Amino acid sequence: MLSVFLHSLSRYRGQILGWGLGLAVLGFYLIGFYDTIAAEQETYTRLIENFPKEMMAFFGDFTEMATPQGYLGIEFFSYMPLILGIFAVMAGSGLLASDEEAGTLELVIAHPITRTTLFLSRLLAFITAAASILGLTWLSFVLGKQSSSIDVTAGELALPFIELFAMLMLFGGLALLLSMLLPSRGMAAMISGLLLV
């Protein structure tokens, strides 16, 4: 099982580095702007009063923009489920269906491993890849807050990442289920993506 897991995880190596480092740079960048936003709280409050309430409902509660929770929620966590959901949907839908569509699943199953071992190893690799991406992003927030006055502990910063991880697992699992029920991986990814949006 370990060799299948490591091979499956190595297939995610580029995605872990791409998504993880990209979001880490974004997180480090966003944390640096918190002090500027907090200093200009009155200006933002006056600006927000001029916007229609319907528009503010879409973006979140901008009156909380100067608080650490409000700032991180609006600037990062409001759109991360959609962005990282793309990874989860594509990875989940391709967990087994990509090999089936490529015609290599029979060859893989012909090896002396059980189907359960294959499935659990790939599922564990997907879970590890998603956790690694979120871990790299969380680490950038922790490192970035050292140069900012944002008053949040590393543990408090981890809480929204745990919620985001659960959401990624939900949509990854849904994409996996649909890839087994529908005739193609593309259709499963499309329906899961539509539900995600």
Side-chain angles (χ1 to χ4, degrees):
M1 180 166 171
L2 182 62
S3 61
V4 178
F5 166 73
L6 292 175
H7 179 266
S8 299
L9 190 59
S10 72
R11 290 169 53 177
Y12 286 115
R13 183 178 50 236
Q15 295 172 8
I16 292 170
L17 290 175
W19 286 95
L21 294 178
L23 292 175
V25 168
L26 177 64
F28 193 83
Y29 175 77
L30 286 175
I31 286 287
F33 278 106
Y34 174 74
D35 294 336
T36 306
I37 299 295
E40 298 293 329
Q41 180 179 3
E42 291 178 22
T43 306
Y44 279 107
T45 304
R46 280 184 274 141
L47 182 66
I48 290 164
E49 290 171 355
N50 295 326
F51 283 104
K53 299 238 184 291
E54 295 81 13
M55 188 171 148
M56 292 297 101
F58 178 74
F59 290 107
D61 189 6
F62 271 88
T63 58
E64 298 291 318
M65 185 71 160
T67 66
Q69 298 84 356
Y71 176 74
L72 292 175
I74 291 168
E75 291 292 330
F76 189 79
F77 290 104
S78 63
Y79 56 86
M80 263 319 109
L82 184 60
I83 291 175
L84 275 174
I86 295 168
F87 163 76
V89 164
M90 294 307 292
S93 67
L95 208 62
L96 295 173
S98 63
D99 284 345
E100 184 179 1
E101 288 181 354
T104 58
L105 188 59
E106 291 83 9
L107 181 64
V108 172
I109 292 179
H111 287 83
I113 57 169
T114 64
R115 293 174 186 206
T116 305
T117 300
L118 176 69
F119 173 72
L120 291 178
S121 298
R122 288 191 175 181
L123 183 63
L124 188 58
F126 165 63
I127 292 168
T128 304
S132 299
I133 291 168
L134 293 175
L136 284 171
T137 309
W138 170 80
L139 185 62
S140 76
F141 274 90
V142 171
L143 294 174
K145 80 180 192 75
Q146 305 303 324
S147 62
S148 174
S149 68
I150 194 164
D151 187 27
V152 182
T153 66
E156 291 171 335
L157 270 175
L159 294 176
F161 283 100
I162 293 169
E163 181 180 338
L164 185 56
F165 178 76
M167 191 175 299
L168 293 179
M169 292 302 102
L170 171 71
F171 282 100
L174 176 66
L176 173 63
L177 174 67
L178 291 176
S179 73
M180 297 293 107
L181 298 176
L182 297 174
S184 73
R185 173 190 180 192
M187 190 178 293
M190 179 187 67
I191 291 174
S192 299
L194 286 172
L195 292 173
L196 172 68
V197 172

